Amino acid sequence: MTRLLSIEDLAVATGSGRPLVRGVSLTLRAGRILALLGESGCGKSLSLLGALDALPPGLRRMGGVVALDGRPCAGRELRGGIVATVLQNPREAFNPLLTLRAHARETLEVRKAEADARLASALAEVGLDDPAVPGLLPGEMSGGMLQRAMIALALIREAPFLIADEPTTDLDPVARARLMDLLAGLRARRGLGMLLVTHDLGVAARLADEVAVMQGGRIVETAPTARLFAAPAHRHTRDLLAAHAMLCADDRPPAKTATVGAVA
Ligand SMILES: Nc1ncnc2c1ncn2[C@@H]1O[C@H](COP(=O)(O)OP(=O)(O)OP(=O)(O)O)[C@@H](O)[C@H]1O
Ligand SMILES: [Mg+2]
């Protein structure tokens, strides 16, 4: 089984040569979760898309090597069978005219009964075990259901790696906690290696073994999660942690103050 997926020195630029991502190196290991943090627009999604040869029209990969267990390979060879992806906007990832069952049959190219059985088992694994779900169209599912359906479709390929781009965005706190449990469970049960792009430091702290921080198209720091949170080395990492701490402080109810003249 594949143990290591490495992305080395990846660069992405516009058609006119304006660099958007430079020198990005990330290593995914079986059974480990790597979180990729960074402010909006710093190049997280383009790094993933560049590595998978799935850039939008008008953008080009300018360099970099993607390798499986040390063997260089084309990004497009990885999609589906080796790397399952959960992209940033789940609704865009589905054909609005196809039910989930039809998506699974199209994805697997096996006998219909087998595709249906594998979908049912993957849906149960992500907590969507209502028998009506396979017959639903994407427009009939909520954002949280679509996120989980996308993970189920990723699982039926039995890919050893999962790349999830902000999978907890747009979810309410309960759905977010459920999805975090699901990802942690998949790592434990299936030994998946994951790259988790997130803005949410709480998600990174809870799930990731290692964290990479991006700024302005580059990785500025990569460290084991506990060390990154306890002793951030790069200034941008310290700024991100400070901004998060400030937001958390704002969320807390104001401290009780003694009332003058209160009766004991
Ligand atoms: N199709 C495109 N053409 C030109 N520039 C683009 C294109 N897509 C993205 N960019 C630019 O590349 C940079 C990185 O974009 P990217 O989508 O990777 O950011 P991100 O870190 O994923 O942000 P977010 O957290 O908001 O999803 C941004 O400055 C963005 O404006
Ligand atoms: Mg993005």
Side-chain angles (χ1 to χ4, degrees):
M1 184 177 146
T2 314
R3 311 291 306 167
L4 201 75
L5 169 62
S6 57
I7 300 165
E8 282 292 329
D9 207 17
L10 183 85
V12 174
T14 60
S16 62
R18 184 166 62 90
L20 296 172
V21 164
R22 276 164 292 181
V24 165
S25 297
L26 298 164
T27 304
L28 275 69
R29 294 180 174 82
R32 314 270 296 168
I33 298 182
L34 169 65
L36 180 58
L37 297 177
E39 61 198 7
S40 195
C42 70
K44 302 179 299 294
S45 297
L46 290 187
S47 299
L48 312 183
L49 296 173
L52 296 170
D53 287 338
L55 288 167
L59 299 185
R60 291 187 285 161
R61 181 165 143 190
M62 303 297 284
V65 177
V66 178
L68 274 177
D69 287 336
R71 182 183 60 85
C73 57
R76 70 185 72 83
E77 286 173 42
L78 303 175
R79 295 204 300 257
I82 305 285
V83 178
T85 46
V86 176
L87 296 178
Q88 202 163 357
N89 185 343
R91 224 164 270 284
E92 278 174 17
F94 289 90
N95 179 335
L97 304 175
L98 294 185
T99 63
L100 213 46
R101 185 181 293 117
H103 277 93
R105 289 177 181 176
E106 205 169 67
T107 305
L108 282 177
E109 293 171 357
V110 293
R111 282 181 22 255
K112 285 179 182 171
E114 189 187 335
D116 294 354
R118 276 164 68 176
L119 176 67
S121 132
L123 285 173
E125 199 167 345
V126 300
L128 289 176
D129 38 19
D130 182 329
V133 170
L136 295 179
L137 291 166
E140 295 170 325
M141 289 187 265
S142 72
M145 286 173 83
L146 283 170
Q147 296 274 24
R148 284 184 288 159
M150 199 167 11
I151 293 174
L153 285 177
L155 292 179
I156 60 177
R157 302 289 300 268
E158 297 185 339
F161 296 101
L162 175 71
I163 291 183
D165 196 350
E166 297 189 24
T168 56
T169 316
D170 298 335
L171 298 185
D172 67 60
V174 174
R176 199 175 68 129
R178 210 186 285 145
L179 188 71
M180 282 200 282
D181 285 346
L182 170 63
L183 295 176
L186 290 176
R187 184 234 320 245
R189 285 194 302 277
R190 294 188 174 227
L192 280 180
M194 292 188 214
L195 176 58
L196 188 60
V197 175
T198 180
H199 282 290
D200 190 329
L201 270 65
V203 170
R206 183 160 152 224
L207 287 180
D209 302 290
E210 205 181 19
V211 179
V213 179
M214 252 187 121
Q215 182 189 26
R218 295 176 186 274
I219 305 276
V220 295
E221 180 169 4
T222 303
T225 308
R227 196 172 82 208
L228 186 120
F229 279 90
H234 194 275
R235 187 183 164 166
H236 185 64
T237 312
R238 290 197 289 274
D239 289 347
L240 278 182
L241 295 184
H244 179 73
M246 219 160 70
L247 275 175
C248 292
D250 284 350
D251 284 347
R252 257 181 257 138
K256 279 191 184 152
T257 47
T259 312
V260 177
V263 179

